[in-house]
Amino acid sequence: MKKKILLIEDEKNIARFIELELQHEQFDVTVSYDGREGLNQALEGSFDCILLDVMLPKLNGLEVCRRVRANKDVPIILLTARDEVMDRVAGLDAGADDYIVKPFAIEELLARIRSIFRRVNNQQVLHNDSIEVRDIKINPNAYEVYFKNKKLDLTKTEYDLLKLLCENKNRVCTRELILQNIWGYESEVETNVVDVYIRHLRAKLKTDGEPIIETVRGVGYVVRE
């Protein structure tokens, strides 16, 4: 069965080019040219991946991303002309799984899509047991995290990062290992983005003593039993 991709891009020449290339790779492609229409299609349809331009008429891409992520777990790749670190962080915070900076080679976009699908396939392997470390309890089947018996509101990236650290409890996870596992080998996300997400998690895992996630200077991060 063909993978279904929703492309939300207002520049029609670019959209047509991407659509033809994706169809050549045997993807089933739906195209939308503004943010509001694209959001409606994303929420009403069933897609395996969304390619989402950031600068869109009627509703910008980051807001579309936030609204889709609040309702669905479909992978989202942002298409952006802005390459500043905080712009990338804003996109990932909005719930995007990856981003690619314009102009890009179609081969790179296809590699990002393949990487996304590999990660989704790996995450679909069922875990029957919950993961418990200190005051953290993770239920992988329900994508739920409890801290001190209270359910945490985490973004998908925050959830994946915390799960990775807890699965590797007492083992230091390097920034490079985190990047490869959370954002993928082909991603150009820089290591300081990892530090930003660690700060977000620490703010939600507040303790009176030592932080749940410890820093190992010059190496990475660890959650100890």
Side-chain angles (χ1 to χ4, degrees):
M1 184 179 295
K2 290 184 178 181
K3 295 283 190 183
K4 298 177 67 175
I5 294 180
L6 173 61
L7 170 62
I8 309 175
E9 166 65 68
D10 65 313
E11 295 186 48
K12 293 190 176 182
N13 289 337
I14 294 176
R16 183 57 177 162
F17 171 71
I18 295 174
E19 179 186 16
L20 290 173
E21 292 291 337
L22 293 176
Q23 288 174 341
H24 181 71
E25 296 294 324
Q26 303 303 308
F27 291 114
D28 184 353
V29 186
T30 299
V31 182
S32 178
Y33 301 105
D34 69 69
R36 196 165 299 282
E37 179 190 61
L39 175 62
N40 291 336
Q41 290 182 321
L43 295 180
E44 294 172 4
S46 177
F47 298 96
D48 297 293
C49 181
I50 296 175
L51 305 179
L52 175 60
D53 186 29
V54 173
M55 303 299 290
L56 290 169
K58 297 186 180 179
L59 195 65
N60 73 68
L62 293 183
E63 185 59 28
V64 172
C65 186
R66 290 189 192 96
R67 297 190 191 185
V68 172
R69 183 59 67 234
N71 292 276
K72 292 190 172 185
D73 200 33
V74 56
I76 299 172
I77 300 177
L78 291 182
L79 312 178
T80 176
R82 305 176 69 176
D83 193 27
E84 296 297 323
V85 170
M86 290 315 297
D87 292 324
R88 285 175 275 168
V89 169
L92 295 169
D93 274 349
D97 297 88
D98 200 355
Y99 65 89
I100 185 168
V101 178
K102 295 178 179 180
F104 51 79
I106 193 65
E107 292 80 5
E108 181 181 3
L109 177 60
L110 293 171
R112 299 295 182 91
I113 293 171
R114 290 193 294 268
S115 176
I116 285 283
F117 288 151
R118 282 197 300 271
R119 275 187 280 157
V120 169
N121 289 337
N122 291 336
Q123 290 168 1
Q124 286 175 345
V125 176
L126 293 179
H127 299 271
N128 294 322
D129 299 324
S130 63
I131 302 166
E132 297 187 38
V133 184
R134 295 173 66 174
D135 292 321
I136 301 169
K137 182 176 180 178
I138 302 174
N139 182 352
N141 290 331
Y143 283 84
E144 292 178 341
V145 177
Y146 290 85
F147 180 60
K148 296 183 178 179
N149 296 319
K150 293 183 178 180
K151 187 176 178 180
L152 290 184
D153 181 17
L154 301 180
T155 67
K156 182 180 183 298
T157 302
E158 290 170 348
Y159 169 87
D160 290 340
L161 175 54
L162 182 60
K163 181 170 175 283
L164 176 69
L165 292 171
C166 290
E167 285 177 329
N168 291 276
K169 63 183 178 183
N170 301 320
R171 173 190 170 194
V172 177
C173 293
T174 65
R175 290 176 174 83
E176 290 73 20
L177 182 145
I178 292 171
L179 282 175
Q180 291 170 6
N181 279 270
I182 304 303
W183 284 278
Y185 286 91
E186 289 90 354
S187 176
E188 295 180 0
V189 174
E190 298 175 6
T191 55
N192 58 358
V193 173
V194 174
D195 302 331
V196 171
Y197 273 89
I198 291 292
R199 288 200 297 272
H200 291 177
L201 281 175
R202 281 176 171 164
K204 296 178 180 182
L205 298 169
K206 293 180 180 178
T207 63
D208 295 329
E210 292 294 320
I212 296 288
I213 303 173
E214 298 179 26
T215 300
V216 180
R217 292 189 180 279
V219 183
Y221 299 96
V222 61
V223 171
R224 302 190 193 278
E225 188 68 84

